[in-house]
Amino acid sequence: MNKFHFSTVVSQSHVFKFIVMYNTLTYHCNDFRLFALCVDEKTYKILKDMNYHNVTLIQLHEVEDEELLRAKSNRIYHEYCWTLKPVVLYYIMCNFPTAQYYAHLDADLCFFSNPELIFQEAPNASLYITEHHNSNRFMHYYNLTGRYNTGFVGCKKDDIALSAIGWWKNKCIEKCSVEMDVINKTFGDQRYVEVWPTLFQNVHVVNTIGANAALWNIERYNVSHRNREVYVNNNPLIFYHFSGFCILSPKEFNLCHYYHINDKKVVKLIYLPYMILLSEAIKKIKEGYPNFSSGFSKRNVVPNMHYYRLK
């Protein structure tokens, strides 16, 4: 029995990032199983060949039913991948009910310390959600993308959690659009969890700013290196959400395609280690799949907001 069962959704475009997420999670947490829903055959084959000892791969046909297939037919690929987040988490909770805690993890997360710290804040909570903590230049996004970010959504194994994740799944199957609908307060899979504190009992809004640090809040914090760990203010950085990060080549990256990151410490202490790990993951994959290029962004498509090349 594992203490944690984590789930994620992986496509060809996120294989490199998934490997970094998994490797850093493994380094910092030793009591988990990761369930990866592969949305295409190529992703499944590559990850199967990696033969990770504590990863269970799931194929689409294992979770798709008539209701989900109808949803698949009325939305774009990106929207469908978002739809699958609560679908696979609910599937894991129902079919692998032996863990104490569960969580969805986006594939573009990178762990800097043990995620168990999140659950230790409120061990008896049923649901765990993280706030955006937007910095000044991202304040207007509260009205667009909501208060909480669903790159991480955690829960305990209890009836409240199962009910909430099932409710989230049904809402996403009903509608999961990239449109930022400020009238109905919907955006992809994300804004549905805004009502959890009023709709469900025992919801814990995570206190530490070290969980789900990201481009939209990092400008608020002082980033430092202490005792071989990265800190944001006085909190250990648990994981960073690399939203907007693009891979151009094994050594070239765009740190974000929509904003420039001004703090050099952030680049040195957070982004540089991530790029090095990505470069290593790319090299590993290229050894077995030299022609695999789905994880790279096209230079003429991605705005060149913050280019960085490794030496």
Side-chain angles (χ1 to χ4, degrees), residues 127 129 146-148 150 164 167-168 171 184-186 189-203 205:
L127 297 159
I129 49 179
R147 178 180 174 185
Y148 305 108
T150 53
W167 177 90
W168 184 29
K171 284 293 185 180
N184 296 303
K185 296 185 178 181
T186 59
D189 65 281
Q190 190 158 275
R191 297 202 68 177
Y192 295 121
V193 303
E194 285 186 336
V195 302
W196 275 6
T198 55
L199 196 62
F200 297 99
Q201 296 179 337
N202 213 16
V203 179
V205 180

Side-chain angles (χ1 to χ4, degrees), residues 79 96 239 294 309:
E79 292 170 337
F96 300 89
F239 67 87
S294 297
R309 180 181 176 86

Side-chain angles (χ1 to χ4, degrees), residues 13 15 17 35 38 62 71 73 140 147 165 206-207 267 286:
S13 63
V15 166
K17 296 175 181 179
F35 296 83
C38 304
E62 298 180 61
S73 69
H140 65 285
R147 178 180 174 185
I165 303 302
V206 178
N207 294 317
V267 175
K286 285 291 189 178

Side-chain angles (χ1 to χ4, degrees), residues 4 6 20-21 24-29 105 109-121 130 152 204 206-214 218 221 224 229-242 270:
F4 302 103
F6 298 124
V20 174
M21 187 269 280
T24 56
L25 179 61
T26 300
Y27 183 82
H28 292 288
C29 182
L105 309 174
L109 307 183
C110 179
F111 287 86
F112 289 77
S113 55
N114 197 333
E116 185 169 356
L117 295 171
I118 298 171
F119 300 90
Q120 287 175 347
E121 285 188 1
T130 57
F152 169 93
H204 177 64
V206 178
N207 294 317
T208 178
I209 59 174
N212 230 345
I218 199 64
Y221 311 136
S224 62
E229 291 187 348
V230 179
Y231 276 72
V232 284
N233 291 351
N234 292 314
N235 299 261
L237 176 58
I238 298 174
F239 67 87
Y240 193 88
H241 192 160
F242 284 88
I270 297 176

